[in-house]
Amino acid sequence: MAASISPLRSSYRICNSLSFHHCRAKLRMHRKCDSQRRHLHASVTRHAAVVVSGTEMARQIHREIQREVEELVTGGNMRPHLGVVLVGDDPASRTYVRNKTRAASILGISSDTVVKPTSVSQDELLELIDKMNRDWKVSGLLVQLPLPGHIQERAVCNAIAPEKDVDGFHIVNIGKLCLGQTSMVPATPAAVWEIIRRAGIETVGKNVLVAGRSKNVGLPIAMLLHTDRNHQRPGGDATVTIAHRCTPREQLKELTRLADIVIAAAGVPGLITVDMVKEGAAVIDVGINRVPDRTTGKLRLVGDVDFEGVKEKAGFITPVPGGVGPMTVAMLMKNTVAAARYALTH
């Protein structure tokens, strides 16, 4: 049986009969082909992104919270209690509140919801908040947003006692967050941070693009990721860029292609597409958008990322639904327990 001969050895034999320069050209050609074969093999064998399940991660946090609650109650302390205020009859707000109180019940946290009509005055609402602030039985307090147009959202958020502000929207909590101090961190930004941390995604020195600058989501996420990891509330030490509705599409594409981590929180369905993402980047989808299904015509939930396309190129990706959403509720519960612990020592 004839022994097999590699292309490289064949080229050396040809050298005996061809000119030296012709031989070198032949060798360069073989090396180029070999390099192309290796690149093709790498591209063929590349795996799709790791899909980070927020649902599974939330279950882990639920178990941790249940242990904390049991520890508090066993120690003779009051069970953590979440007070919720719902204004109006917006279906989405009712669903969100129901999900939160249901999660609280499962985790051993008691709760009650005060429902006020859309016509409630701002003064009446502020009086209710003041009463709940002074109620020692209420560990954590939240007012479900959005509010009717005649009520100033900022006035309501600032009326909640900072130590009971489980949404983390009080100006004191936002200020402490920006300074890298311990505070109530808004639940959705806290969820994004926890996903990154638990998934083992490196942030130090990395480029991060946050698409969306809302005061309750985009801005706090940017603060968490860019602040110093040696501060009282450790940050991500990343280089963070914030894009928003005034960022031209082509510029957004340039910025996302440079990013090691892309956080989509703009509320625009399919904003981030596969051609905008760097190979191996981590993509966290915060978007919650309801769009008509082309097949059924019914509304379905989608994020700000083209999930099917981007998952073939990213290193990590969160789905919608089942990504940031379940983690947001889990972090809200974690804030409620933290508020109960704070009340024990103050």
Side-chain angles (χ1 to χ4, degrees):
M1 182 183 293
S4 61
I5 302 172
S6 72
L8 192 57
R9 289 181 61 191
S10 298
S11 67
Y12 276 115
R13 291 190 177 184
I14 294 170
C15 284
N16 292 329
S17 57
L18 299 176
S19 70
F20 175 73
H21 294 293
H22 185 79
C23 175
R24 290 187 66 185
K26 193 93 171 175
L27 284 171
R28 282 196 298 271
M29 180 184 72
H30 281 304
R31 287 170 181 153
K32 182 178 180 182
C33 290
D34 187 51
S35 173
Q36 289 173 339
R37 281 195 296 272
R38 286 197 302 271
H39 176 74
L40 178 62
H41 177 71
S43 63
V44 169
T45 58
R46 190 197 178 282
H47 298 293
V50 173
V51 178
V52 182
S53 172
T55 302
E56 289 299 319
M57 204 174 278
R59 287 196 184 109
Q60 296 172 10
I61 295 172
H62 288 171
R63 289 191 289 270
E64 294 167 11
I65 293 171
Q66 284 172 325
R67 286 194 293 269
E68 276 196 83
V69 171
E70 185 62 28
E71 180 184 309
L72 281 169
V73 175
T74 302
N77 301 297
M78 187 188 71
R79 186 176 295 279
H81 182 88
L82 175 64
V84 181
V85 178
L86 174 63
V87 179
D89 54 3
D90 178 67
S93 292
R94 285 185 175 275
T95 299
Y96 291 142
V97 167
R98 186 167 58 249
N99 290 342
K100 292 168 185 177
T101 54
R102 182 184 299 154
S105 177
I106 292 170
L107 300 179
I109 298 170
S110 62
S111 69
D112 70 289
T113 303
V114 179
V115 180
K116 290 292 182 180
T118 305
S119 59
V120 67
S121 70
Q122 179 168 306
D123 287 343
E124 186 181 346
L125 185 57
L126 292 177
E127 285 176 11
L128 173 63
I129 292 169
D130 181 59
K131 179 182 176 181
M132 296 176 79
N133 280 339
R134 291 183 282 106
D135 187 346
W136 62 270
K137 295 188 296 297
V138 177
S139 311
L141 171 59
L142 72 85
V143 177
Q144 182 64 43
L145 303 179
L147 293 168
H150 66 281
I151 297 176
Q152 296 178 24
E153 184 179 294
R154 177 45 49 196
V156 170
C157 290
N158 286 345
I160 299 171
E163 66 275 11
K164 292 190 177 188
D165 173 34
V166 292
D167 264 338
F169 296 160
H170 192 285
I171 192 170
V172 168
N173 284 323
I174 292 295
K176 286 184 174 181
L177 173 67
C178 293
L179 294 172
Q181 297 178 6
T182 301
S183 66
M184 288 288 190
V185 177
T188 299
V192 171
W193 173 254
E194 198 69 11
I195 287 170
I196 289 172
R197 190 181 70 82
R198 292 187 183 233
I201 299 168
E202 183 58 65
T203 62
V204 178
K206 300 299 183 180
N207 288 323
V208 177
L209 185 282
V210 179
R213 62 179 176 184
S214 72
K215 58 187 175 300
N216 296 338
V217 180
L219 176 63
I221 287 172
M223 292 298 106
L224 285 169
L225 285 165
H226 97 90
T227 45
D228 196 319
R229 66 187 184 277
N230 296 314
H231 281 176
Q232 186 183 48
R233 192 268 308 140
D237 260 335
T239 302
V240 180
T241 302
I242 302 177
H244 45 78
R245 67 176 181 273
C246 294
T247 305
R249 176 75 180 185
E250 285 306 309
Q251 186 179 350
L252 175 63
K253 185 181 289 188
E254 290 175 10
L255 294 170
T256 53
R257 283 175 172 172
L258 293 172
D260 302 296
I261 302 171
V262 176
I263 298 170
V268 179
L271 175 66
I272 306 298
T273 52
V274 65
D275 60 314
M276 300 170 70
V277 177
K278 183 166 81 170
E279 189 87 30
V283 181
I284 311 296
D285 194 349
V286 186
I288 302 176
N289 310 289
R290 288 173 174 82
V291 299
D293 188 285
R294 292 179 181 177
T295 305
T296 65
K298 297 180 180 179
L299 292 179
R300 64 187 181 94
L301 207 60
V302 299
D304 288 1
V305 177
D306 173 18
F307 181 81
E308 293 301 325
V310 173
K311 76 175 183 180
E312 299 302 321
K313 193 175 182 182
F316 294 87
I317 191 169
T318 61
V320 175
V324 175
M327 284 292 289
T328 294
V329 177
M331 299 312 292
L332 181 70
M333 297 302 111
K334 202 172 180 68
N335 279 352
T336 303
V337 176
R341 286 194 176 278
Y342 180 91
L344 294 177
T345 56
H346 293 79

